Amino acid sequence: MLTRCWLTALSPDHLLIMRIQGQAFLLQLLLAALLATGQEDYINGEKGGEIVLQPLLSLEEEIVWKKGVNKVAELENGKLHVYPAYKARFKVDNSSGKLTITNLMEEDAGDYYADILISKDNRYQTEKFPLRVFPPLNKPSVTCREEKGFVILTCNATSSASEEYTWKHSNGEVVSTTDIYQLLDDNKTLNISLAKEHPEKSMVCVVKSPASEKTESIFISECLTKPTPSLKIGLAVSLTLIVIAALVVGVLYYKGYFNRCRKVSIDADTVAEGGDNANLKSERRKASKEEEIVMKNSADEQKAFLSNNEQKDDDTVHSAMLNNDQSSPRKARVIFAHRTKI
C-alpha cells in the first residue's frame, strides 16, 4: 500500500526518467551478455549496396556517429554536421538519428558507434554497430543433364562471396535428402529420381551470402533428352514439303488439271486403239493374200501332177498297143476303159 502511494506521488517526469533508466539498464545487461559470450550481431552489407544503422534508443537532443574513434556526423538540436571524409555517401536522419551509407565500399567495414545524449542524466548512451561488407552475389545459373534414370541439377553463383546453397520446391518447401532427392557437393548438386518425380515440376536453387540472397528456377522437363537439332530441321523440312505438295495438288485439282489430263489420256488410248485395229486389219489382209497364194500354188501343183499322170498313162497305152501288134481287140477295149476311168 505504501509503495502504491509512493508511485502515485511521483510526477510524470520522474516516471519517464525511471523508464528510460530501466531501458538503459536492460541494454547494458544485453551488451554485457554479448561481450561475455564473445558474440556480436554483425550488420552485413554488399559492395555497391546500401545499409542503414538504426539506434535502439530514441533520439532526444543529440547523437554523434563514429567509425572507430573518428567522428562521422553530429546531430544537435536539429542541426546536422557530416565530416568531409564521409559527406558524399553518409546521411543522418534528423528525426530518428539513423545513419544511411550508400554505395558501400570494402573500406566502409568496421565498428560504428552511436553516442546518444540522455538529457535527463546528462550523459551519453553508446550503441555499437559492427559492419561487414561482402562482394556482390551474382544470380545463380542452373545446369542439368539426364543420366541413368536421374536428372542431375547443378547450381553455381560464380561469386567470391561466402555462399550457402539450398534447393526448394516451387511452393517454398526446402528439399532434403530422401529416396527421391539426393543432395551432393555442399548442396550445389541435386539428383532427382525420374521414376518417382513428375517431370513438369520445377525446382528452385537458392544461393545466400551473409549480405544477400539470389534464386534461379528450372523445370525438370527442360533437362530430359531432346531430339538433336538436325533431326528437328529434317522434320521441319519434311512437314514443309508435305504442306507445299498438298497445296499444289489442291490448286491443280481446283483448276481441273486432273480432268484435262484424264481426257487427254482417254483420247490417247482411243488413238492407240484405232492404230492397233488398223494394223490388225492390214495383217489380216496380208495373211489372206498369202493364204490365197498358197492355195493357188497348191491348185497349180495338183493340175501339173494330174497332167503328168495323164501323159504317163497315154505313153503306157501307146506302148502296149504297139507291143501287142493290135492282136487283141479286147485288151484294147480294157485299156481304153482304164483310161476313161482315170
Side-chain angles (χ1 to χ4, degrees):
M1 186 73 179
L2 292 175
T3 304
R4 183 178 300 176
C5 293
W6 178 74
L7 291 174
T8 305
L10 294 176
S11 65
D13 291 339
H14 285 89
L15 292 175
L16 178 61
I17 293 172
M18 291 178 63
R19 187 180 298 112
I20 294 173
Q21 289 177 342
Q23 292 176 350
F25 179 72
L26 291 176
L27 181 60
Q28 288 176 349
L29 289 178
L30 178 61
L31 292 174
L34 291 175
L35 292 174
T37 58
Q39 296 179 352
E40 290 183 308
D41 290 332
Y42 285 101
I43 298 173
N44 300 313
E46 190 174 74
K47 184 178 179 180
E50 180 179 298
I51 199 72
V52 177
L53 307 181
Q54 176 69 61
L56 295 177
L57 295 177
S58 299
L59 176 64
E60 294 183 9
E61 296 180 4
E62 183 181 344
I63 183 171
V64 178
W65 280 99
K66 299 177 182 178
K67 181 185 179 185
V69 295
N70 299 318
K71 288 186 177 181
V72 174
E74 291 180 320
L75 177 62
E76 183 178 1
N77 295 323
K79 294 180 180 180
L80 176 65
H81 173 70
V82 180
Y83 288 84
Y86 307 95
K87 196 169 186 178
R89 300 182 294 109
F90 288 68
K91 298 179 181 179
V92 177
D93 185 73
N94 290 340
S95 59
S96 65
K98 65 182 179 181
L99 175 66
T100 302
I101 308 173
T102 59
N103 192 21
L104 279 173
M105 299 181 180
E106 292 180 358
E107 54 266 28
D108 294 333
D111 293 334
Y112 290 79
Y113 299 92
D115 295 335
I116 302 174
L117 177 63
I118 306 299
S119 58
K120 298 299 181 179
D121 294 341
N122 196 26
R123 64 182 179 85
Y124 288 94
Q125 182 68 50
T126 301
E127 294 185 32
K128 183 180 179 181
F129 301 87
L131 174 63
R132 298 186 298 182
V133 179
F134 292 88
L137 182 64
N138 298 325
K139 184 177 178 66
S141 63
V142 179
T143 59
C144 63
R145 70 182 188 276
E146 182 182 359
E147 183 177 316
K148 297 180 180 179
F150 283 85
V151 165
I152 302 174
L153 307 179
T154 302
C155 186
N156 197 341
T158 62
S159 175
S160 58
S162 178
E163 304 157 355
E164 293 181 0
Y165 289 82
T166 306
W167 288 93
K168 292 184 179 181
H169 298 283
S170 55
N171 61 2
E173 181 184 355
V174 177
V175 176
S176 58
T177 298
T178 62
D179 58 338
I180 302 176
Y181 306 104
Q182 297 177 6
L183 293 167
L184 305 171
D185 192 20
D186 294 331
N187 293 347
K188 288 184 179 181
T189 301
L190 174 64
N191 292 356
I192 304 174
S193 174
L194 287 175
K196 299 179 180 181
E197 186 57 280
H198 197 280
E200 294 302 323
K201 192 171 185 179
S202 65
M203 308 301 295
V204 182
C205 172
V206 181
V207 182
K208 186 176 182 180
S209 74
S212 63
E213 178 179 300
K214 300 290 179 65
T215 63
E216 179 65 14
S217 61
I218 188 172
F219 283 95
I220 298 175
S221 58
E222 297 179 27
C223 309
L224 303 181
T225 303
K226 300 176 182 179
T228 59
S230 59
L231 181 58
K232 289 184 177 180
I233 294 174
L235 291 174
V237 172
S238 299
L239 291 175
T240 302
L241 292 176
I242 291 173
V243 171
I244 292 174
L247 290 174
V248 171
V249 170
V251 171
L252 294 177
Y253 182 81
Y254 176 76
K255 293 186 176 181
Y257 174 80
F258 292 107
N259 292 333
R260 293 197 300 271
C261 290
R262 183 180 178 186
K263 182 178 180 181
V264 170
S265 176
I266 293 173
D267 294 341
D269 292 341
T270 303
V271 172
E273 184 178 355
D276 292 340
N277 293 335
N279 293 334
L280 182 60
K281 291 179 180 180
S282 176
E283 290 180 358
R284 286 179 178 177
R285 286 195 298 269
K286 184 176 179 181
S288 178
K289 289 182 180 180
E290 291 178 352
E291 184 178 358
E292 289 178 359
I293 293 172
V294 170
M295 291 178 64
K296 183 177 181 181
N297 290 339
S298 177
D300 292 340
E301 289 177 357
Q302 186 175 3
K303 289 180 180 180
F305 176 76
L306 293 174
S307 177
N308 290 335
N309 286 340
E310 290 177 357
Q311 184 67 31
K312 288 180 181 179
D313 290 340
D314 291 339
D315 291 342
T316 302
V317 172
H318 181 69
S319 176
M321 291 177 65
L322 291 176
N323 289 335
N324 291 328
D325 294 328
Q326 301 177 352
S327 60
S328 179
R330 184 172 179 275
K331 290 181 179 181
R333 287 196 296 275
V334 172
I335 292 170
F336 177 76
H338 176 70
R339 292 179 60 190
T340 303
K341 185 177 180 179
I342 294 171

